[in-house]
Amino acid sequence: MEKEDVLCSVRKYVYEQFSSDPTGHDYYHMKRVAHWAKEIALDEEADPYTAELAGWLHDVGDTKLYDDTEAAYRELIDFLTSLEVEAQKRRELLTIIKSISFSKGQIPATIEGKIVQDADRLDAIGAVGIARTFAFGGMRNQLIYDEAADSLTSIQHFYDKLLKLSDGMYTRRAQIEANQRHAFMENYLNQFYSEWNSAERAGEHNDK
Ligand code: ADP
Ligand code: NI
């Protein structure tokens, strides 16, 4: 099968698996990661086809989203085989998919793996990253913010993860984009606290 046809079939496969995900791991997350993976790969003179394919597929089998990870990987391998993707390419893609998640803390071995990880991390920051964080936090029953306690809130997640991501980019193109998104998040937090604390400043209420 031609590369364009493989990409088209993979896009449809991803749409079927993720179109209704409400946690920030929806089809459009995969589409943005695929887009940025290709763009960064071109800038790095890496393999844009592998990077884009792995971008589309990077969240298949993720333990947060799938009850049976191994079954999801097996199904993906069968699907790629049906598209006549060669065994070596299938192994390369699976290795990338298994190694990119932030929570797993691994450094992907290949440049294409590092590129997909950068693209995934870009989508966790900036305006879209902020939206995904609150969607994910709501799904987990987390508070938006708690000024009284050091608990796991969506705002706390900025400090636990989001504000650290721009320091860990591997590629030049992702670094440029991450710097801009990082600055946007800092502005966002300033505005957030300003609005949140407006009632506080008026001093009209006792919280407890
Ligand atoms: P990955 O993209 O590798 O699956 P995560 O599961 O950590 O990585 O992140 C998925 C999305 O959910 C990101 O946008 C991330 O910021 C958000 N997220 C992860 N953990 C939390 C949390 N405890 N609170 C709010 N958002 C979170
Ligand atoms: Ni992702």
Side-chain angles (χ1 to χ4, degrees):
M1 218 181 238
E2 296 294 318
K3 287 180 177 177
E4 276 312 308
D5 296 330
V6 171
L7 281 166
C8 184
S9 300
V10 163
R11 184 178 60 73
K12 288 181 185 152
Y13 182 83
V14 167
Y15 186 82
E16 278 161 24
Q17 303 234 348
F18 297 100
S19 61
S20 61
D21 178 282
T23 71
H25 296 87
D26 52 88
Y27 167 77
Y28 295 100
H29 166 62
M30 312 311 157
K31 183 175 171 173
R32 288 187 299 270
V33 173
H35 160 77
W36 277 99
K38 181 181 177 184
E39 175 134 342
I40 297 167
L42 291 170
D43 193 66
E44 291 288 316
E45 297 181 5
D47 175 4
Y49 174 63
T50 302
E52 186 179 354
L53 265 185
W56 276 112
L57 295 167
H58 77 279
D59 273 333
V60 171
D62 189 310
T63 49
K64 287 189 301 302
L65 310 171
Y66 291 79
D67 293 332
D68 190 343
T69 293
E70 288 309 318
Y73 290 150
R74 275 197 305 275
E75 193 194 298
L76 176 59
I77 290 167
D78 288 347
F79 172 66
L80 292 171
T81 307
S82 77
L83 302 180
E84 298 158 18
V85 174
E86 285 171 13
Q88 198 196 334
K89 183 65 74 190
R90 294 199 300 266
R91 274 196 296 276
E92 196 183 347
L93 290 169
L94 263 294
T95 303
I96 294 176
I97 292 166
K98 289 177 183 178
S99 70
I100 60 154
S101 177
F102 179 79
S103 24
K104 290 173 205 150
Q106 293 182 24
I107 299 175
T110 62
I111 181 63
E112 287 77 17
K114 291 183 171 77
I115 286 169
V116 177
Q117 189 169 70
D118 274 7
D120 193 31
R121 288 176 172 182
L122 278 182
D123 212 54
I125 59 178
V128 167
I130 292 170
R132 295 180 68 222
T133 296
F134 288 113
F136 192 94
M139 186 268 299
R140 285 269 174 98
N141 291 323
Q142 282 175 194
L143 291 175
I144 291 174
Y145 175 50
D146 187 354
E147 59 193 74
D150 234 3
S151 56
L152 196 61
T153 64
S154 291
I155 287 292
Q156 183 57 38
H157 187 64
F158 281 71
Y159 301 96
D160 293 343
K161 175 177 166 184
L162 306 188
L163 291 168
K164 293 176 182 166
L165 288 180
S166 67
D167 282 340
M169 296 290 164
Y170 297 108
T171 61
R172 190 198 75 98
R173 185 71 190 85
Q175 189 63 62
I176 293 169
E177 185 65 23
N179 291 346
Q180 187 251 325
R181 295 186 188 199
H182 186 94
F184 180 83
M185 288 196 297
E186 288 185 325
N187 286 337
Y188 174 82
L189 285 171
N190 286 336
Q191 177 76 13
F192 180 93
Y193 293 127
S194 165
E195 293 177 17
W196 187 279
N197 290 327
S198 51
E200 210 63 42
R201 281 195 298 274
E204 293 152 346
H205 307 284
N206 244 334
D207 286 342
K208 284 174 192 122

